[in-house]
Amino acid sequence: MKAIVQRVVKAGVTVGEEQISSIGRGICVLVGISKDDGPKDTEYMVRKILNLRIFEDETGKRWAKSVKEMNLEILCVSQFTLQCVLKGNKPDFHGAMMADTSETFYKDFLEKLRQSYSPDKIQDGKFGNHMQVHIQNDGPVTIELNSPPPRQKKKAVEQSSEKVMS
């Protein structure tokens, strides 16, 4: 799973002429789901997004408070293009989870986020639609988050490192 987290003054989503959602101060999170993602990736991302310290505290100390500690809003937008790899100059999205399964996965992610925070503070776009995302970035502050690779990949890397060391 990949997420681009932006600290915002405000953000919103429209589809055509209809405003779907909007938030005030908080974070806008663009979420890219890979075909290899599972429940552990969701848990990791929810924890990181809610606890990422990108806000000032009451004394003005930077990088001290999270969106959860500040009781601010979150706008999430599903964005499969975050799973892009380039083949020459052409984007390839084969690493992204298929739409039929990713919608359920994304809804589960949103539910876990709401359970871990405050349901009324979480907004989202309209899955599978062409959206206009209006972001007024604050700072600007933009952070990229990636869930850890699956355990099997870690084991393969460890094993190949051991062979090299031997």
Side-chain angles (χ1 to χ4, degrees):
M1 236 175 138
K2 183 181 281 192
I4 303 298
V5 179
Q6 296 188 341
R7 185 176 71 188
V8 298
V9 174
K10 64 181 178 179
V13 174
T14 58
V15 174
E17 299 298 316
E18 180 187 0
Q19 182 164 32
I20 302 301
S21 57
S22 66
I23 63 166
R25 189 163 180 241
I27 58 175
C28 181
V29 183
L30 307 175
V31 180
I33 302 166
S34 107
K35 63 183 178 183
D36 298 323
D37 289 336
K40 295 263 186 225
D41 298 285
T42 298
E43 291 170 20
Y44 177 87
M45 278 301 186
V46 166
R47 187 174 68 253
K48 286 295 184 184
I49 289 166
L50 291 177
N51 295 297
L52 185 61
R53 296 184 311 174
I54 58 175
F55 294 95
E56 293 180 354
D57 68 10
E58 305 75 30
T59 67
K61 181 181 174 189
R62 291 182 175 190
W63 317 112
K65 297 274 188 157
S66 68
V67 69
K68 190 174 182 179
E69 292 170 310
M70 297 289 291
N71 199 33
L72 300 175
E73 296 177 291
I74 301 172
L75 174 63
C76 292
V77 178
S78 177
Q79 189 170 354
F80 76 94
T81 60
L82 289 176
Q83 295 298 334
C84 169
V85 293
L86 291 179
K87 298 215 173 168
N89 290 324
K90 185 179 180 192
D92 181 307
F93 305 108
H94 286 94
M97 189 178 283
M98 298 301 291
D100 56 341
T101 52
S102 64
E103 183 172 13
T104 302
F105 191 94
Y106 179 68
K107 286 179 179 178
D108 183 55
F109 162 77
L110 288 174
E111 185 56 34
K112 298 265 188 296
L113 195 60
R114 288 179 174 119
Q115 289 170 359
S116 299
Y117 186 33
S118 179
D120 61 317
K121 298 281 186 186
I122 312 293
Q123 300 293 320
D124 71 304
K126 199 167 189 179
F127 190 92
N129 281 254
H130 183 86
M131 296 174 270
Q132 293 77 48
V133 182
H134 310 274
I135 301 169
Q136 188 172 345
N137 198 313
D138 180 22
V141 173
T142 303
I143 309 287
E144 180 180 350
L145 300 175
N146 290 288
S147 60
R151 190 154 181 74
Q152 296 81 9
K153 289 181 187 174
K154 285 184 184 178
K155 282 183 182 177
V157 169
E158 290 168 0
Q159 288 170 350
S160 82
S161 295
E162 289 172 4
K163 287 178 184 176
V164 171
M165 305 281 271
S166 315

